Structure formats: structure tokens, C-alpha cells
Amino acid sequence: MMTTSVKIPSLETDKHPLQNEGLRPPVTQCPDEPRSPGWFRHLKFFTAGLLLAIIAVRYVVPTFGGFKLGVPETPLDTKAVCPKTSAIVPHTHADILKKLEAEYANESFHDQAFAWLGGAVKIPTQMYDDMKQPGEDPRWDVFKKLHSYIDSHFDFVNLKKTNINTYGLVYHWQGSNTDLKPILFTAHQDVIPVAPDTINDWINPPFSGIWDGQWLWGRGSCDDKPGLIGSLAAVQKLGKAGFKPERTIVLAFGFDEEHGGIIGATKIRDHLLSTYGEDGFAILIDEGGFLEGRTDGVIATPAVAEKGHFDLRMVVSSAGGHSSVPPEHTSIGILAALIAELEANPHEPHLYRDEPYFTALQCQAILNSELDDDLRGLIKKSRSSDKALFDLEKKLFATDVLADALSKNTQAVDLIGGGVKSNALPENAYAVVNHRIAQHSSVSAVKAHIVDTLTPIAKKFNLTLDAFGDELHGMSNVVSSGHLKLTDAWGTALEPAPVTPWIENSAFDFLAGTIQTVVKTSKRWNNPDIPVAVAPGILSGNTDTRYYWKLTKNIFRYRHVSRFDKYNGAHTVNEAIFAEAFIDLIRFFTITILNADETDLLG
Ligand SMILES: *[C@@H]1O[C@H](CO)[C@@H](O)[C@H](O)[C@H]1NC(C)=O
Ligand SMILES: *[C@@H]1O[C@H](CO)[C@@H](O)[C@H](O)[C@H]1NC(C)=O
């Protein structure tokens, strides 16, 4: 097979892919993003013509890549194809877009946009784990500053603002056609705190909001103030340009996303549900997924899935006493045995043909010419051959830790405690084990695995066992030498999110077609023929959308920012965004709103 010989700069080069002189390449991705397999970094793209040829061969010629295609495709097979999408551009609103594109290209707009974002980054809306309700904790006061900042820099004559639980912000822009379901953009106002002992590691102070000519610096510059300020900026500019929507537009901004959204997003959900109803929105776009943008090709991965979450607490209790006459095993020794048993019995990773990750692999097999040929062959064959699927699993999981983690329930022992003094037997010892639950699993399956794994050890040490509220019997014939209690550590168990369909879902086609347009008409790429692929992504972490499942089945977690546009990711020192990327994010919001207003893909 022939491929184009265009060179795609790799992450390892010391230049920003779209920049001749960069300070340093961004190397880490924001933690709560969908993880791409390592070989994502070496994408090369076929020419569009060759791609069409491949697709034609795939569907017309009876055999391809060594397996028969005469077999009728099952729904699973259909799901497992890399989605094909075409660009969607505004027609009725073409003049408004033309006007705004001219304005967005103007240097003076860039200065204004960077100042808007920098000003928001300067306000340290740090979120702490022990925040009390608004009104009961003075650390919330700084959010008032952010609100006055927004009020004084944006002038929304067309929008109705509602405050939710004091600091939540919901903006409503009424459309003229109430038959159209509204479109919803969400973002969060809060940021991860800056650890005081890391301040000296920042190249520019963490709340400086400085634009150095290339990067815009500070906590929140990636996560998630571009989503907040970028969507506000787009709405502001659309209003000033005379846009009058047919489809209602809603913006909703949480304020404790970094602490799980329990104070903010739950209340925002209640408000949105009571105002717009269940399944009341055509589409929801939140933070999460990203794009990989190189000079010669772009792959975007809006996340259609979020893994679930379960924190196990195990507490071993046994008799205390003087440590000079100890039993054979103390509670700490028994806890150690329990932990060792869990680690010796990890969950098995698996690939399922109807899961988004399998589809993402199919896109790789088509688009990534640097892929190992064996792997490419296996990926293609695995669509219809169980043997190939099995071989693919073996090969992939042995070489790619991210693929492995995305394809199973992960477990990590993250907390441990016990004992008070070196000459006293510990009466209690505990550990907390964090699990991230794959789409094909569930909270109850994780609990069952824990009970199955730990029961033999509890028996061996003659412990009575309380497993998630069930006193397990059949262990009472032994003299108890202690007790093991298993609980949901914080009561925060979360099932994997319902997966947003990406096949035969016009809302996915809408988003993918819009992304195509935003990239192909971007001044940064300056290449209307650039190959753009849109593949479904998975988030290993969670966003405020964990509470928004009932608002729409079309939840996409996607910020139109390349991971190369992040200096050092989020949640760590030197958070910075490549400022030009923020302009494209505003373009993304603008074009999405215009397209949504005239498309028939959103119902
Ligand atoms: C850019 O914007 C400024 C300020 O609005 C304006 O004076 C200038 O003419 C614009 N430049 C172009 C090339 O449109
Ligand atoms: C458990 O109990 C049995 C019967 O009482 C005893 O023989 C055994 O040594 C005990 N095991 C431990 C680890 O304490």
C-alpha cells in the first residue's frame, strides 16, 4: 500500500507542530482526558484520494486484508468501522460567519481574547476537597470576583442569567423556534489549587494570566477557563454580529467540578431538568476529549464514554494488647495479605467490538501508516475473526499500558493506615483501593470480584466478614480472630456513563462535520484539504456530565484544543495554553452554534 510521504512532526521533536519557534514542547496531557495509545503520536495520513480508494475497495471488492467480506455485516461490525464524516458549513448564516471570521483573524481581536482569558485566569477560583456549602465557607468569595469580571467584560443583552446554588451560572439565549431542542455547552469555573511548595517551579506565577507572545500562563488556562471564556466570547460576538438564533442556546457553568460536582453540578442538573425536561437538549458539549493537530493531519476524539468509579475501604479489626505477647498476625499483617491478594488478582482487560475503543483502533488501522503491520492486520481481521481479536488483545495489552488500562477495571491501593504506637497491637488497619470501571463492567461486578478474591483470605485468617452490608455466613464455625469490613469508602460509587452512540447517530455526524469545518478553515493550519478524522474517545476520569445523563443521550466531552497546545497539561505546575489555540476554540463554539441553528441533524 502506498502512503503519502508527508512528514508529521512527532511529540519528541522540540518544536510546536504548528510553530517554528516554540519555548519547549508540551509533554503531558491533561489528566482527565481520553488516553490515546502511544502510537497515536506517530500518525501519518493517507491522501484523501487513497482513503476513498481504500473505502471503495473495502466495500466493493469481496476480499481485503485477508478476510472475507461476503459475510453480511452484523450491527457489531457496523459499529466497529472508523466513522466517515464530511464537513458541515453554515449556509443561511454564511454572512455572519464571514464577518466574524474576519474579526477573529484580526490581531486586535487576538489581543482582546487573550486579555479576556488572562483576566479570568488571574482570579484564583481554587477548589478544595473540604469546601462547605456556599455561605458557610469564605473560600467561595473569590467566585464572586469571577462573576463581576464576566459581568463587566461581556454584555449579554440577549441572555437571561440564572444563579444556581449561588455560584452556578446558567445563561439562556432564547431561540425563535421552540420546536427545536436547545443546544447545551458546559464548562467549570473552579480550578485545582496550586500547592504552595510548587510556586517556585512555575515559569510564570500560577495566577499571572500572562501572555508571553505564544503561551498564556496560569492555573485554569487549560482546565477549564478556555471553555468558560471561549463559549461566552462566541455568544457575545454572535450577538454583536446580529445573529438571532432559531434554536435556543444554553451555557451552564459548574463551580466544584474538581471536587466531583456535588455542590454545583447536581443543582445545575436539577435546574436544567426542571426547566428543559428529561432529554430536553439536542446535544451537550463539555470538556474532556481533545484533538491531535499536526501540520499534515488532525484526529479529534470527542469522548462518548466515561469510566465508572469505586473506592473500596477495607478495615481489619482484631484484639489489641501489649505488643510483647503478639498473635501470629496483627491486623496490619492481615491487611497486607488482603492487599497482596487483590494485586495478585487484577481484572482482565478485554476488547469488545461494540465499544468506542475498538472503533478508535479501526481508525488507527486506516489512518496511521506507521502502525506495525502485524497490528494493523490484526485490528482489521479482528472485526470478524474471534481468533484475531484474541491475538490483538495479547499483542496490544503487552505493549501498551494505556490500551490495557482503558480496556479493563483498574485497581490501585491509594491509602493505608493503622496503628498508633510501636509497642501496642493495632486494633484497626485500613486501606482504600481506587477502581475505574470499564463500560463493559459495573459497580456490582467490581464488588463481586473483591468479595470472591478476599473471602478465601478472610477464611484463612479466621475473620468474620461484612461485605458491603452483608454479613457473610458459613464462616461462623471457626473461632473468630478478627473482623474484615468492606465498604464504599466515601459513598461515591459511579457506574460507567451510558455510551453516546457514534454510529447512525446524526448528532455525532453533526459534531464531526463541524470539527472538519473548524479545522479546514483554520488560519493555523491554512490548509482546506487537511485530512481530519473524528473517532470516539473514552475518558478515564469524570466530568460534571456524570450528573447530566438525563439531559440528553448526545453527551460529548470535547474541547477543540490540540494536546500540543498544552504546555504541561493540567493539575500540575506550568499550566499554559498556546494562545492561538484559544482563537480556534472560540471559532469552534461559533461555528457549532451557527451549524446547530440550521442543521436537520439535531432534530
Ligand atoms: C482590526 O481591528 C481594528 C480595531 O477594531 C481596526 O481598526 C482595523 O481596521 C482592523 N483591521 C483589519 C485588517 O480589518
Ligand atoms: C483459625 O482457626 C482454627 C480453628 O480454631 C485454628 O486451628 C487456626 O490456627 C486458625 N488460623 C489462624 C490463622 O488464626
Side-chain angles (χ1 to χ4, degrees), residues 504-529:
E504 284 168 18
N505 179 5
S506 56
F508 180 88
D509 299 341
F510 166 80
L511 179 62
T514 300
I515 292 169
Q516 295 259 359
T517 296
V518 178
V519 175
K520 286 175 193 286
T521 57
S522 167
K523 295 275 185 296
R524 297 188 70 199
W525 274 275
N526 202 23
N527 176 7
D529 298 320

PDB file of all heavy atoms in Angstrom, residues 504-529:
ATOM      1  N   GLU A 504     -24.651   5.768  13.265  1.00  0.00           N
ATOM      2  CA  GLU A 504     -26.051   6.060  12.983  1.00  0.00           C
ATOM      3  C   GLU A 504     -26.629   6.991  14.041  1.00  0.00           C
ATOM      4  O   GLU A 504     -27.769   6.837  14.463  1.00  0.00           O
ATOM      5  CB  GLU A 504     -26.864   4.765  12.879  1.00  0.00           C
ATOM      6  CG  GLU A 504     -26.608   4.075  11.553  1.00  0.00           C
ATOM      7  CD  GLU A 504     -27.147   2.666  11.494  1.00  0.00           C
ATOM      8  OE1 GLU A 504     -28.004   2.319  12.322  1.00  0.00           O
ATOM      9  OE2 GLU A 504     -26.691   1.911  10.624  1.00  0.00           O
ATOM     10  N   ASN A 505     -25.810   7.929  14.487  1.00  0.00           N
ATOM     11  CA  ASN A 505     -26.302   8.975  15.377  1.00  0.00           C
ATOM     12  C   ASN A 505     -25.996  10.304  14.691  1.00  0.00           C
ATOM     13  O   ASN A 505     -24.837  10.700  14.584  1.00  0.00           O
ATOM     14  CB  ASN A 505     -25.611   8.892  16.739  1.00  0.00           C
ATOM     15  CG  ASN A 505     -26.091  10.002  17.669  1.00  0.00           C
ATOM     16  OD1 ASN A 505     -26.994  10.773  17.328  1.00  0.00           O
ATOM     17  ND2 ASN A 505     -25.474  10.098  18.841  1.00  0.00           N
ATOM     18  N   SER A 506     -27.042  10.980  14.231  1.00  0.00           N
ATOM     19  CA  SER A 506     -26.819  12.204  13.454  1.00  0.00           C
ATOM     20  C   SER A 506     -26.147  13.282  14.305  1.00  0.00           C
ATOM     21  O   SER A 506     -25.469  14.160  13.778  1.00  0.00           O
ATOM     22  CB  SER A 506     -28.127  12.702  12.859  1.00  0.00           C
ATOM     23  OG  SER A 506     -29.072  12.888  13.880  1.00  0.00           O
ATOM     24  N   ALA A 507     -26.304  13.226  15.642  1.00  0.00           N
ATOM     25  CA  ALA A 507     -25.642  14.220  16.488  1.00  0.00           C
ATOM     26  C   ALA A 507     -24.118  14.049  16.439  1.00  0.00           C
ATOM     27  O   ALA A 507     -23.369  15.033  16.461  1.00  0.00           O
ATOM     28  CB  ALA A 507     -26.142  14.115  17.924  1.00  0.00           C
ATOM     29  N   PHE A 508     -23.659  12.792  16.360  1.00  0.00           N
ATOM     30  CA  PHE A 508     -22.210  12.578  16.197  1.00  0.00           C
ATOM     31  C   PHE A 508     -21.764  13.103  14.836  1.00  0.00           C
ATOM     32  O   PHE A 508     -20.735  13.779  14.727  1.00  0.00           O
ATOM     33  CB  PHE A 508     -21.852  11.088  16.333  1.00  0.00           C
ATOM     34  CG  PHE A 508     -20.365  10.821  16.174  1.00  0.00           C
ATOM     35  CD1 PHE A 508     -19.510  10.876  17.266  1.00  0.00           C
ATOM     36  CD2 PHE A 508     -19.816  10.540  14.921  1.00  0.00           C
ATOM     37  CE1 PHE A 508     -18.141  10.649  17.119  1.00  0.00           C
ATOM     38  CE2 PHE A 508     -18.448  10.319  14.768  1.00  0.00           C
ATOM     39  CZ  PHE A 508     -17.617  10.368  15.869  1.00  0.00           C
ATOM     40  N   ASP A 509     -22.553  12.812  13.782  1.00  0.00           N
ATOM     41  CA  ASP A 509     -22.206  13.311  12.452  1.00  0.00           C
ATOM     42  C   ASP A 509     -22.164  14.835  12.436  1.00  0.00           C
ATOM     43  O   ASP A 509     -21.299  15.435  11.784  1.00  0.00           O
ATOM     44  CB  ASP A 509     -23.228  12.820  11.403  1.00  0.00           C
ATOM     45  CG  ASP A 509     -23.261  11.299  11.312  1.00  0.00           C
ATOM     46  OD1 ASP A 509     -22.277  10.660  11.761  1.00  0.00           O
ATOM     47  OD2 ASP A 509     -24.266  10.750  10.826  1.00  0.00           O
ATOM     48  N   PHE A 510     -23.093  15.438  13.168  1.00  0.00           N
ATOM     49  CA  PHE A 510     -23.121  16.900  13.256  1.00  0.00           C
ATOM     50  C   PHE A 510     -21.822  17.433  13.869  1.00  0.00           C
ATOM     51  O   PHE A 510     -21.175  18.318  13.324  1.00  0.00           O
ATOM     52  CB  PHE A 510     -24.316  17.363  14.114  1.00  0.00           C
ATOM     53  CG  PHE A 510     -24.238  18.795  14.540  1.00  0.00           C
ATOM     54  CD1 PHE A 510     -24.595  19.813  13.666  1.00  0.00           C
ATOM     55  CD2 PHE A 510     -23.749  19.134  15.804  1.00  0.00           C
ATOM     56  CE1 PHE A 510     -24.477  21.145  14.046  1.00  0.00           C
ATOM     57  CE2 PHE A 510     -23.629  20.457  16.188  1.00  0.00           C
ATOM     58  CZ  PHE A 510     -23.994  21.463  15.298  1.00  0.00           C
ATOM     59  N   LEU A 511     -21.439  16.852  15.011  1.00  0.00           N
ATOM     60  CA  LEU A 511     -20.233  17.327  15.686  1.00  0.00           C
ATOM     61  C   LEU A 511     -18.995  17.066  14.825  1.00  0.00           C
ATOM     62  O   LEU A 511     -18.146  17.947  14.657  1.00  0.00           O
ATOM     63  CB  LEU A 511     -20.094  16.648  17.054  1.00  0.00           C
ATOM     64  CG  LEU A 511     -18.860  17.035  17.856  1.00  0.00           C
ATOM     65  CD1 LEU A 511     -18.858  18.526  18.181  1.00  0.00           C
ATOM     66  CD2 LEU A 511     -18.769  16.220  19.149  1.00  0.00           C
ATOM     67  N   ALA A 512     -18.915  15.868  14.250  1.00  0.00           N
ATOM     68  CA  ALA A 512     -17.744  15.517  13.448  1.00  0.00           C
ATOM     69  C   ALA A 512     -17.644  16.417  12.216  1.00  0.00           C
ATOM     70  O   ALA A 512     -16.555  16.896  11.863  1.00  0.00           O
ATOM     71  CB  ALA A 512     -17.826  14.049  13.038  1.00  0.00           C
ATOM     72  N   GLY A 513     -18.779  16.690  11.583  1.00  0.00           N
ATOM     73  CA  GLY A 513     -18.777  17.554  10.398  1.00  0.00           C
ATOM     74  C   GLY A 513     -18.399  18.985  10.755  1.00  0.00           C
ATOM     75  O   GLY A 513     -17.739  19.683   9.980  1.00  0.00           O
ATOM     76  N   THR A 514     -18.823  19.421  11.940  1.00  0.00           N
ATOM     77  CA  THR A 514     -18.475  20.769  12.387  1.00  0.00           C
ATOM     78  C   THR A 514     -16.979  20.866  12.687  1.00  0.00           C
ATOM     79  O   THR A 514     -16.320  21.838  12.304  1.00  0.00           O
ATOM     80  CB  THR A 514     -19.317  21.132  13.633  1.00  0.00           C
ATOM     81  OG1 THR A 514     -20.702  21.088  13.279  1.00  0.00           O
ATOM     82  CG2 THR A 514     -18.970  22.507  14.160  1.00  0.00           C
ATOM     83  N   ILE A 515     -16.436  19.839  13.341  1.00  0.00           N
ATOM     84  CA  ILE A 515     -14.999  19.825  13.630  1.00  0.00           C
ATOM     85  C   ILE A 515     -14.199  19.880  12.312  1.00  0.00           C
ATOM     86  O   ILE A 515     -13.213  20.610  12.197  1.00  0.00           O
ATOM     87  CB  ILE A 515     -14.620  18.571  14.453  1.00  0.00           C
ATOM     88  CG1 ILE A 515     -15.219  18.661  15.858  1.00  0.00           C
ATOM     89  CG2 ILE A 515     -13.099  18.399  14.527  1.00  0.00           C
ATOM     90  CD1 ILE A 515     -15.130  17.367  16.673  1.00  0.00           C
ATOM     91  N   GLN A 516     -14.655  19.126  11.317  1.00  0.00           N
ATOM     92  CA  GLN A 516     -13.997  19.153   9.997  1.00  0.00           C
ATOM     93  C   GLN A 516     -13.886  20.589   9.485  1.00  0.00           C
ATOM     94  O   GLN A 516     -12.824  21.037   9.052  1.00  0.00           O
ATOM     95  CB  GLN A 516     -14.824  18.346   8.979  1.00  0.00           C
ATOM     96  CG  GLN A 516     -14.921  16.873   9.264  1.00  0.00           C
ATOM     97  CD  GLN A 516     -13.974  16.051   8.417  1.00  0.00           C
ATOM     98  OE1 GLN A 516     -13.251  16.599   7.601  1.00  0.00           O
ATOM     99  NE2 GLN A 516     -13.951  14.753   8.619  1.00  0.00           N
ATOM    100  N   THR A 517     -15.009  21.316   9.557  1.00  0.00           N
ATOM    101  CA  THR A 517     -15.025  22.693   9.055  1.00  0.00           C
ATOM    102  C   THR A 517     -14.095  23.596   9.863  1.00  0.00           C
ATOM    103  O   THR A 517     -13.335  24.380   9.294  1.00  0.00           O
ATOM    104  CB  THR A 517     -16.469  23.252   9.096  1.00  0.00           C
ATOM    105  OG1 THR A 517     -17.255  22.474   8.209  1.00  0.00           O
ATOM    106  CG2 THR A 517     -16.515  24.704   8.691  1.00  0.00           C
ATOM    107  N   VAL A 518     -14.155  23.471  11.181  1.00  0.00           N
ATOM    108  CA  VAL A 518     -13.343  24.364  12.024  1.00  0.00           C
ATOM    109  C   VAL A 518     -11.859  24.172  11.705  1.00  0.00           C
ATOM    110  O   VAL A 518     -11.096  25.144  11.624  1.00  0.00           O
ATOM    111  CB  VAL A 518     -13.622  24.102  13.526  1.00  0.00           C
ATOM    112  CG1 VAL A 518     -12.736  24.983  14.402  1.00  0.00           C
ATOM    113  CG2 VAL A 518     -15.085  24.344  13.847  1.00  0.00           C
ATOM    114  N   VAL A 519     -11.446  22.927  11.462  1.00  0.00           N
ATOM    115  CA  VAL A 519     -10.032  22.672  11.158  1.00  0.00           C
ATOM    116  C   VAL A 519      -9.695  23.119   9.730  1.00  0.00           C
ATOM    117  O   VAL A 519      -8.707  23.815   9.500  1.00  0.00           O
ATOM    118  CB  VAL A 519      -9.685  21.178  11.341  1.00  0.00           C
ATOM    119  CG1 VAL A 519      -8.250  20.905  10.904  1.00  0.00           C
ATOM    120  CG2 VAL A 519      -9.879  20.754  12.792  1.00  0.00           C
ATOM    121  N   LYS A 520     -10.534  22.735   8.791  1.00  0.00           N
ATOM    122  CA  LYS A 520     -10.213  23.012   7.378  1.00  0.00           C
ATOM    123  C   LYS A 520     -10.226  24.496   7.054  1.00  0.00           C
ATOM    124  O   LYS A 520      -9.624  24.924   6.068  1.00  0.00           O
ATOM    125  CB  LYS A 520     -11.181  22.252   6.461  1.00  0.00           C
ATOM    126  CG  LYS A 520     -10.901  20.742   6.402  1.00  0.00           C
ATOM    127  CD  LYS A 520     -11.960  20.027   5.579  1.00  0.00           C
ATOM    128  CE  LYS A 520     -11.902  18.521   5.743  1.00  0.00           C
ATOM    129  NZ  LYS A 520     -10.779  17.893   5.045  1.00  0.00           N
ATOM    130  N   THR A 521     -10.928  25.303   7.865  1.00  0.00           N
ATOM    131  CA  THR A 521     -10.956  26.747   7.603  1.00  0.00           C
ATOM    132  C   THR A 521     -10.117  27.516   8.623  1.00  0.00           C
ATOM    133  O   THR A 521     -10.209  28.738   8.710  1.00  0.00           O
ATOM    134  CB  THR A 521     -12.405  27.287   7.638  1.00  0.00           C
ATOM    135  OG1 THR A 521     -12.990  26.965   8.904  1.00  0.00           O
ATOM    136  CG2 THR A 521     -13.240  26.669   6.533  1.00  0.00           C
ATOM    137  N   SER A 522      -9.289  26.784   9.400  1.00  0.00           N
ATOM    138  CA  SER A 522      -8.479  27.444  10.425  1.00  0.00           C
ATOM    139  C   SER A 522      -7.271  28.149   9.801  1.00  0.00           C
ATOM    140  O   SER A 522      -6.599  27.598   8.940  1.00  0.00           O
ATOM    141  CB  SER A 522      -8.001  26.411  11.445  1.00  0.00           C
ATOM    142  OG  SER A 522      -6.996  26.974  12.257  1.00  0.00           O
ATOM    143  N   LYS A 523      -6.995  29.354  10.286  1.00  0.00           N
ATOM    144  CA  LYS A 523      -5.804  30.090   9.837  1.00  0.00           C
ATOM    145  C   LYS A 523      -4.523  29.397  10.307  1.00  0.00           C
ATOM    146  O   LYS A 523      -3.452  29.593   9.751  1.00  0.00           O
ATOM    147  CB  LYS A 523      -5.823  31.520  10.397  1.00  0.00           C
ATOM    148  CG  LYS A 523      -6.966  32.365   9.876  1.00  0.00           C
ATOM    149  CD  LYS A 523      -6.613  33.018   8.537  1.00  0.00           C
ATOM    150  CE  LYS A 523      -7.709  33.955   8.062  1.00  0.00           C
ATOM    151  NZ  LYS A 523      -8.992  33.264   7.769  1.00  0.00           N
ATOM    152  N   ARG A 524      -4.648  28.609  11.360  1.00  0.00           N
ATOM    153  CA  ARG A 524      -3.448  27.955  11.894  1.00  0.00           C
ATOM    154  C   ARG A 524      -2.958  26.876  10.946  1.00  0.00           C
ATOM    155  O   ARG A 524      -1.772  26.736  10.714  1.00  0.00           O
ATOM    156  CB  ARG A 524      -3.750  27.313  13.251  1.00  0.00           C
ATOM    157  CG  ARG A 524      -4.145  28.305  14.306  1.00  0.00           C
ATOM    158  CD  ARG A 524      -4.234  27.613  15.651  1.00  0.00           C
ATOM    159  NE  ARG A 524      -2.926  27.220  16.141  1.00  0.00           N
ATOM    160  CZ  ARG A 524      -2.717  26.305  17.069  1.00  0.00           C
ATOM    161  NH1 ARG A 524      -3.738  25.660  17.586  1.00  0.00           N
ATOM    162  NH2 ARG A 524      -1.494  26.023  17.467  1.00  0.00           N
ATOM    163  N   TRP A 525      -3.873  26.084  10.430  1.00  0.00           N
ATOM    164  CA  TRP A 525      -3.462  25.022   9.506  1.00  0.00           C
ATOM    165  C   TRP A 525      -3.332  25.567   8.089  1.00  0.00           C
ATOM    166  O   TRP A 525      -2.490  25.128   7.341  1.00  0.00           O
ATOM    167  CB  TRP A 525      -4.469  23.862   9.562  1.00  0.00           C
ATOM    168  CG  TRP A 525      -4.129  22.922  10.655  1.00  0.00           C
ATOM    169  CD1 TRP A 525      -3.245  21.882  10.569  1.00  0.00           C
ATOM    170  CD2 TRP A 525      -4.600  22.925  11.996  1.00  0.00           C
ATOM    171  NE1 TRP A 525      -3.157  21.241  11.784  1.00  0.00           N
ATOM    172  CE2 TRP A 525      -3.984  21.872  12.680  1.00  0.00           C
ATOM    173  CE3 TRP A 525      -5.492  23.729  12.697  1.00  0.00           C
ATOM    174  CZ2 TRP A 525      -4.224  21.579  14.023  1.00  0.00           C
ATOM    175  CZ3 TRP A 525      -5.727  23.450  14.025  1.00  0.00           C
ATOM    176  CH2 TRP A 525      -5.097  22.393  14.681  1.00  0.00           C
ATOM    177  N   ASN A 526      -4.217  26.529   7.780  1.00  0.00           N
ATOM    178  CA  ASN A 526      -4.165  27.171   6.488  1.00  0.00           C
ATOM    179  C   ASN A 526      -4.150  26.135   5.355  1.00  0.00           C
ATOM    180  O   ASN A 526      -3.365  26.229   4.419  1.00  0.00           O
ATOM    181  CB  ASN A 526      -2.915  28.067   6.426  1.00  0.00           C
ATOM    182  CG  ASN A 526      -3.061  29.137   5.369  1.00  0.00           C
ATOM    183  OD1 ASN A 526      -4.185  29.482   4.989  1.00  0.00           O
ATOM    184  ND2 ASN A 526      -1.946  29.645   4.860  1.00  0.00           N
ATOM    185  N   ASN A 527      -4.971  25.111   5.488  1.00  0.00           N
ATOM    186  CA  ASN A 527      -4.980  24.026   4.508  1.00  0.00           C
ATOM    187  C   ASN A 527      -6.371  23.409   4.428  1.00  0.00           C
ATOM    188  O   ASN A 527      -6.723  22.567   5.246  1.00  0.00           O
ATOM    189  CB  ASN A 527      -3.932  22.975   4.913  1.00  0.00           C
ATOM    190  CG  ASN A 527      -3.962  21.769   3.992  1.00  0.00           C
ATOM    191  OD1 ASN A 527      -4.668  21.752   2.979  1.00  0.00           O
ATOM    192  ND2 ASN A 527      -3.195  20.744   4.351  1.00  0.00           N
ATOM    193  N   PRO A 528      -7.166  23.853   3.434  1.00  0.00           N
ATOM    194  CA  PRO A 528      -8.546  23.344   3.348  1.00  0.00           C
ATOM    195  C   PRO A 528      -8.637  21.857   3.027  1.00  0.00           C
ATOM    196  O   PRO A 528      -9.702  21.254   3.168  1.00  0.00           O
ATOM    197  CB  PRO A 528      -9.164  24.178   2.214  1.00  0.00           C
ATOM    198  CG  PRO A 528      -8.023  24.767   1.477  1.00  0.00           C
ATOM    199  CD  PRO A 528      -6.855  24.855   2.407  1.00  0.00           C
ATOM    200  N   ASP A 529      -7.513  21.266   2.608  1.00  0.00           N
ATOM    201  CA  ASP A 529      -7.546  19.838   2.242  1.00  0.00           C
ATOM    202  C   ASP A 529      -6.964  18.943   3.328  1.00  0.00           C
ATOM    203  O   ASP A 529      -6.738  17.753   3.107  1.00  0.00           O
ATOM    204  CB  ASP A 529      -6.777  19.614   0.933  1.00  0.00           C
ATOM    205  CG  ASP A 529      -7.413  20.378  -0.215  1.00  0.00           C
ATOM    206  OD1 ASP A 529      -8.659  20.405  -0.261  1.00  0.00           O
ATOM    207  OD2 ASP A 529      -6.677  20.968  -1.022  1.00  0.00           O
TER     208      ASP A 529
END
